[in-house]
């Protein structure tokens, strides 16, 4: 019964936290040796963002990161998903280009600060900010021979620098968006498209599919390196995260039922089927013919099984009708209007999003039944309509977003306890309002409101809701929450619980010893904490 599952708890090792991405929050694009990413100039080009604003400052998190970590601690999260900017680590991006120690230092300090607050770093290696020089040098994601090697070297540098402390890696964020929005529709960097009003260069009929293949291969090559060289000692998990919304037939006519599957095949199966099953969905081949770039036998061997878990970003549900000429949606028309004229759910600020939690449950079931791997929900969220133009008090009282999360958290319990889906993590998007790509700053997805004039952060009602919900719906952890005393705030109480394992006792002993006695004290605490977590 539904009521039954809603009183059950999520297990203590369930991971929840908030997510962000480097280009959307960091700003400081020209400091400490950072090279340009291809979003720098793209976002500065007139007409590319809705409000004409760019990522030069964003939420200023390169400077304000300590404040952000403090906020996460106040929210009581178990984890923080953030991404590393490739061009801070290797400013020119390539495998023979120099590494930037300042870039390594920045993320290293962030990781240490998170661990000190007992927050698990969940790290994305690529969230859309390709070093500009790789795009100029050889076409970036279009060039298989070069990009696979350069990406793999970048990933290895990160594993080497951070893998002693990072145990969860995501290779790529949303390959569908990288390929389709960047090289098909041309709305994201590098903005290539067949539409000559939009771009002087590009071929939307071939390039997105080539980019998709190259992203998959780069991901798989980095995973191979991790598993062979780093995992034996570092013992982390690595995978990819795919965007994908539930695709529901508009009605029960056979062509619309088939259309919904076609939409899933192109939105999700394009990447998930090769990675988890070892081949493209047959419909991709049927739709694209020779334009679908094949994998060699050796390549498919590399790709199949290259993700330890299913990483899922999902926001909404589409009603699907056969027809139309949009290959990027699998030749399927999407609508939110049901046959009886009613809307599927509450409309968000962006046209592509309505609130429909039942679709989230269906998607979790579909992915679990098709791929049989634990699911990490790495993004899920809602942008309240017109939030940007509301007075602050009204924006903070974000009832539509609270309603959205009431639905998705309810479904999380139902999928776990009624349907038997193995969901291991949940990361609402996003910790902060931030640079929402082509939307600029007018679309706000944050659980925390950012006043862009002052960079002051204000928790929204939805953040309070989620903090409370997870406190009430998760088994108490015997993990190290008692080791580091959390900051007290109106959002979280300090924890003084003493975990009961020998490792925890060790960690507490070291943590409470006089700091001056042992210079390696912090390192020992971290080691003990990791023993507990892993
Ligand atoms: C994701 N769509 O992007 C990204 O991972 C985030 O960086 C982003 O801020 C967030 O979702 C909210 O948009 C998407 O058009 C962008 O369907 C566009 C779509 C989906 C996801």
């Amino acid at each position: 019964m539904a009521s039954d599952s809603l009183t059950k708890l999520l297990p203590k090792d369930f991971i929840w936290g908030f997510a962000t991405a480097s280009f959307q929050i960091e700003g400081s694009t020209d400091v400490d040796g950072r090279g340009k990413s291809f979003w720098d100039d793209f976002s500065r080009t007139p007409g590319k963002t809705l409000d004409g604003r760019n990522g030069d400052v964003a939420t200023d998190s390169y400077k304000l990161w300590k404040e952000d970590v403090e906020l996460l601690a106040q929210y009581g999260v178990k984890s923080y998903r953030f991404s590393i900017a490739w061009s801070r680590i290797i400013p020119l991006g390539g495998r023979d280009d120099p590494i930037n120690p300042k870039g390594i230092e920045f993320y290293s300090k962030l990781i240490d600060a998170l661990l000190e607050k007992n927050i698990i770093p969940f790290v994305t290696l690529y969230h859309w900010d390709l070093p500009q020089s790789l795009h100029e040098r050889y076409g970036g994601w279009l060039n298989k021979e070069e990009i696979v090697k350069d990406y793999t070297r970048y990933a290895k540098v990160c594993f080497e620098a951070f893998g002693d402390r990072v145990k969860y890696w995501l290779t790529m964020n949303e390959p569908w968006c990288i390929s389709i929005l960047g090289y098909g529709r041309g709305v994201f960097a590098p903005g290539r498209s067949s539409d000559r009003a939009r771009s002087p260069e590009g071929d939307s009929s071939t390039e997105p599919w080539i980019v998709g293949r190259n992203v998959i291969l780069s991901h798989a090559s980095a995973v191979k390196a991790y598993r062979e060289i780093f995992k034996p000692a570092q013992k982390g998990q690595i995978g990819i995260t795919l965007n994908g919304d539930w695709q529901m037939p508009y009605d029960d006519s056979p062509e619309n039922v088939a259309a919904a599957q076609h939409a899933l095949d192109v939105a999700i199966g394009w990447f998930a089927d090769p990675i988890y099953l070892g081949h493209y969905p047959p419909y991709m081949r049927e739709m694209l013919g020779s334009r679908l770039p094949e994998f060699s036998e050796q390549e498919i061997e590399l790709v199949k099984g290259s993700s330890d878990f299913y990483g899922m970003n999902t926001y909404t549900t589409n009603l699907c009708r056969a027809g139309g000429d949009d290959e990027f949606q699998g030749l399927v028309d999407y609508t939110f209007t049901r046959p009886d004229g009613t809307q599927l759910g509450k409309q968000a600020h962006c046209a592509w999003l309505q609130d429909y939690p039942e679709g989230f449950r269906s998607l979790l079931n579909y992915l679990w039944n098709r791929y049989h791997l634990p699911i990490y929900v790495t993004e899920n969220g809602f942008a309240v309509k017109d939030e940007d133009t509301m007075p602050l008090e009204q924006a903070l009282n974000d009832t539509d977003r609270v309603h959205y999360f009431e639905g998705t958290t309810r479904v999380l319990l139902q999928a776990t306890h009624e349907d038997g889906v193995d969901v291991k993590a949940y990361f609402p998007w996003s910790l902060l309002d931030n640079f929402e790509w082509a939307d600029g700053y007018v679309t706000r997805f944050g659980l925390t409101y950012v006043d862009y004039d002052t960079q002051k952060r204000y928790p929204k009602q939805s953040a309070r809701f989620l903090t409370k919900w997870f406190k009430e719906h998760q088994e108490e952890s015997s993990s190290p929450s008692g080791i580091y005393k959390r900051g007290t705030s109106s959002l979280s109480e300090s924890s003084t619980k003493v975990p009961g394992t020998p490792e925890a006792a060790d960690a507490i002993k070291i943590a409470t010893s006089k700091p001056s006695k042992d210079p390696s004290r912090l390192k020992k605490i971290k080691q003990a904490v990791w023993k507990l977590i892993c």
Side-chain angles (χ1 to χ4, degrees):
M1 275 304 291
S3 56
D4 222 32
S5 75
L6 297 181
T7 58
K8 287 190 183 157
L9 302 177
L10 293 168
K12 57 178 181 287
D13 59 353
F14 189 90
I15 294 173
W16 83 277
F18 295 128
T20 62
S22 46
F23 194 76
Q24 293 181 272
I25 65 163
E26 287 178 357
S28 299
T29 48
D30 59 355
V31 307
D32 290 344
R34 177 187 180 278
K36 266 190 188 183
S37 89
F38 68 3
W39 264 97
D40 292 27
D41 288 347
F42 184 80
S43 68
R44 288 183 196 128
T45 309
K48 300 298 184 196
T49 61
L50 271 185
D51 55 5
R53 295 168 66 195
N54 57 48
D56 288 356
V57 179
T59 64
D60 215 9
S61 289
Y62 189 76
K63 292 190 192 127
L64 301 178
W65 63 273
K66 284 186 186 156
E67 203 179 303
D68 293 345
V69 171
E70 194 48 49
L71 193 59
L72 287 159
Q74 287 182 14
Y75 287 151
V77 299
K78 288 187 177 288
S79 180
Y80 176 43
R81 176 183 173 223
F82 63 94
S83 81
I84 294 177
W86 185 341
S87 67
R88 286 197 197 278
I89 304 294
I90 307 169
L92 296 174
R95 55 196 177 281
D96 299 318
D97 295 322
I99 295 170
N100 175 26
K102 291 262 188 202
I104 304 266
E105 192 188 328
F106 173 71
Y107 294 107
S108 200
K109 281 187 177 160
L110 172 62
I111 290 163
D112 284 347
L114 290 169
L115 290 174
E116 276 167 38
K117 298 272 185 197
N118 194 19
I119 297 170
I120 301 166
F122 210 108
V123 179
T124 315
L125 288 169
Y126 184 75
H127 199 126
W128 306 353
D129 41 0
L130 186 78
Q132 170 79 16
S133 59
L134 301 187
H135 180 66
E136 285 169 3
R137 216 179 266 173
Y138 55 72
W141 290 114
L142 286 164
N143 187 326
K144 178 171 97 170
E145 297 312 318
E146 298 291 338
I147 198 71
V148 174
K149 293 187 186 117
D150 284 350
Y151 175 80
T152 306
R153 190 274 190 135
Y154 158 61
K156 281 158 89 171
V157 170
C158 291
F159 301 146
E160 178 79 45
F162 313 122
D164 56 338
R165 290 154 292 160
V166 173
K167 304 297 158 187
Y168 293 94
W169 294 102
L170 293 168
T171 52
M172 305 278 177
N173 182 71
E174 304 189 347
W176 184 94
C177 288
I178 298 171
S179 315
I180 300 296
L181 303 181
Y183 298 81
R185 301 209 199 285
V187 293
F188 282 7
R192 292 175 69 88
S193 168
S194 293
D195 178 356
R196 290 286 164 264
R198 202 170 264 292
S199 168
E201 287 176 348
D203 182 346
S204 305
S205 72
T206 55
E207 290 187 4
W209 317 114
I210 293 168
V211 166
R213 192 263 324 261
N214 296 347
V215 169
I216 293 173
L217 288 172
S218 301
H219 144 82
S221 164
V223 170
K224 183 175 191 285
Y226 183 73
R227 287 178 176 167
E228 286 179 2
I229 307 168
F230 301 95
K231 188 166 173 154
Q234 297 182 351
K235 299 192 169 29
Q237 304 275 311
I238 189 162
I240 191 165
T241 201
L242 308 178
N243 58 300
D245 295 322
W246 181 236
Q247 312 288 7
M248 196 157 80
Y250 177 74
D251 54 25
D252 53 16
S253 71
E255 62 273 22
N256 291 339
V257 171
Q261 184 59 51
H262 294 161
L264 285 166
D265 287 344
V266 177
I268 294 176
W270 172 14
F271 301 98
D273 281 14
I275 289 171
Y276 299 108
L277 308 178
H279 54 78
Y280 283 124
Y283 181 69
M284 289 287 293
R285 199 161 279 127
E286 192 185 315
M287 181 177 84
L288 297 173
S290 62
R291 285 183 293 132
L292 184 67
E294 290 298 338
F295 294 107
S296 70
E297 249 173 61
Q298 242 178 342
E299 286 171 343
I300 207 67
E301 211 171 288
L302 178 77
V303 167
K304 188 179 178 184
S306 61
S307 191
D308 292 334
F309 49 81
Y310 192 96
M312 159 183 177
N313 290 355
T314 192
Y315 286 85
T316 196
T317 294
N318 298 302
L319 289 166
C320 295
R321 263 183 306 205
D325 57 2
D326 190 348
E327 285 183 340
F328 306 150
Q329 296 179 181
L331 304 177
V332 172
D333 274 335
Y334 292 169
T335 178
F336 287 133
T337 308
R338 293 193 184 88
D340 66 5
T342 58
Q343 291 295 290
L344 198 58
K346 189 87 179 183
Q347 179 62 49
H349 193 76
C350 31
W352 55 269
L353 207 181
Q354 284 197 356
D355 176 2
Y356 186 69
E358 291 74 15
F360 180 48
R361 182 175 181 177
S362 303
L363 182 63
L364 285 168
N365 276 276
Y366 172 82
L367 296 173
W368 174 243
N369 291 327
R370 190 172 173 98
Y371 302 117
H372 313 291
L373 277 181
I375 297 172
Y376 289 67
V377 181
T378 46
E379 276 182 37
N380 180 240
F382 190 81
V384 174
K385 196 157 177 36
D386 299 326
E387 197 171 83
D388 188 49
T389 50
M390 288 176 189
L392 178 65
E393 287 312 307
Q394 197 186 340
L396 298 185
N397 190 19
D398 56 339
T399 45
D400 286 354
R401 189 178 285 105
V402 171
H403 183 264
Y404 180 92
F405 285 117
E406 279 170 350
T408 49
T409 50
R410 182 180 69 241
V411 160
L412 206 57
L413 287 179
Q414 290 173 324
T416 303
H417 295 302
E418 288 178 49
D419 309 337
V421 180
D422 187 9
V423 191
K424 291 234 180 289
Y426 183 67
F427 288 91
W429 181 269
S430 172
L431 173 64
L432 304 166
D433 289 333
N434 56 44
F435 176 72
E436 180 51 29
W437 308 111
D439 281 16
Y441 295 88
V442 295
T443 301
R444 291 175 178 263
F445 271 94
L447 284 297
T448 311
Y449 186 93
V450 177
D451 176 338
Y452 292 112
D453 294 330
T454 60
Q455 292 297 348
K456 209 167 149 22
R457 281 86 161 119
Y458 301 85
K460 298 181 191 174
Q461 207 50 45
S462 52
R464 295 173 201 275
F465 166 78
L466 285 161
T467 293
K468 186 163 176 284
W469 193 90
F470 278 97
K471 216 178 243 177
E472 293 171 354
H473 290 86
Q474 181 166 18
E475 285 170 13
E476 284 224 16
S477 170
S478 61
S479 77
S481 55
I483 293 171
Y484 301 108
K485 205 174 162 196
R486 293 237 171 105
T488 34
S489 76
S490 57
L491 292 155
S492 76
E493 290 154 22
S494 72
S495 165
T496 49
K497 201 165 63 64
V498 178
T501 65
E503 289 89 348
D506 275 358
I508 289 165
K509 224 196 279 167
I510 305 163
T512 50
S513 68
K514 272 213 188 105
S516 57
K517 272 192 184 161
D518 181 358
S520 62
R521 181 172 160 270
L522 192 61
K523 200 170 169 203
K524 284 186 189 161
I525 297 170
K526 274 184 210 148
Q527 280 167 351
V529 169
W530 276 119
K531 263 197 215 149
L532 281 167
I533 295 172
C534 303

